[in-house]
Amino acid sequence: QVQLVESGGGLVQAGGSLRLSCVASGDTLGINTFAWYRQGSGKQRELVADITPSGTHYGDSVKGRFTISRDNAPVTAFLQMNGLKPEDTAVYYCKAEGLGRQLTPFFSWGRGTQVTVSS
């Protein structure tokens, strides 16, 4: 089992920056992918960015503004968000994927952190 806790959300003015963190605990050795998703009010959850052993991938709306990274001590994923826009307002969720014991695939979600960008 892997547990994820996000932090770093808040209220920021347009053009500002925030850095989200997602700390993983539990059986973290098998994590090979971290992803950040977001869900605005009345909208579907969408992929913001992910990081795998092969590299990083970003949604079109955040390319050039957001950067995903990870650290391994402790196992943490980060999302650096620059040039924030009001349309970035959403709850941001962290997701981890990997292979558990006996190579069983798993995924886990955090509870989310609210990001609000004022115009």
Side-chain angles (χ1 to χ4, degrees):
Q1 294 286 341
V2 171
Q3 295 79 43
L4 303 174
V5 178
E6 303 101 331
S7 63
L11 173 64
V12 65
Q13 288 188 331
S17 299
L18 285 174
R19 190 190 195 207
L20 305 183
S21 299
C22 171
V23 179
S25 61
D27 197 1
T28 63
L29 285 179
I31 296 175
N32 55 40
T33 298
F34 276 107
W36 286 96
Y37 286 75
R38 66 186 182 187
Q39 187 166 16
S41 180
K43 299 180 181 179
Q44 290 189 329
R45 191 172 295 191
E46 64 173 347
L47 176 66
V48 176
D50 63 34
I51 183 167
T52 72
S54 300
T56 57
H57 167 263
Y58 297 92
D60 288 342
S61 62
V62 306
K63 283 180 181 177
R65 298 188 298 125
F66 291 10
T67 303
I68 189 171
S69 61
R70 68 171 287 173
D71 205 345
N72 290 325
V75 179
T76 306
F78 302 97
L79 186 68
Q80 178 66 43
M81 305 186 295
N82 299 328
L84 283 162
K85 305 175 181 180
E87 50 264 44
D88 294 319
T89 294
V91 178
Y92 284 71
Y93 297 91
C94 177
K95 181 183 181 183
E97 300 178 20
L99 296 176
R101 299 179 184 185
Q102 301 178 345
L103 301 183
T104 304
F106 72 87
F107 65 90
S108 295
W109 288 93
R111 293 189 174 186
T113 184
Q114 175 71 47
V115 171
T116 303
V117 185
S118 63
S119 57

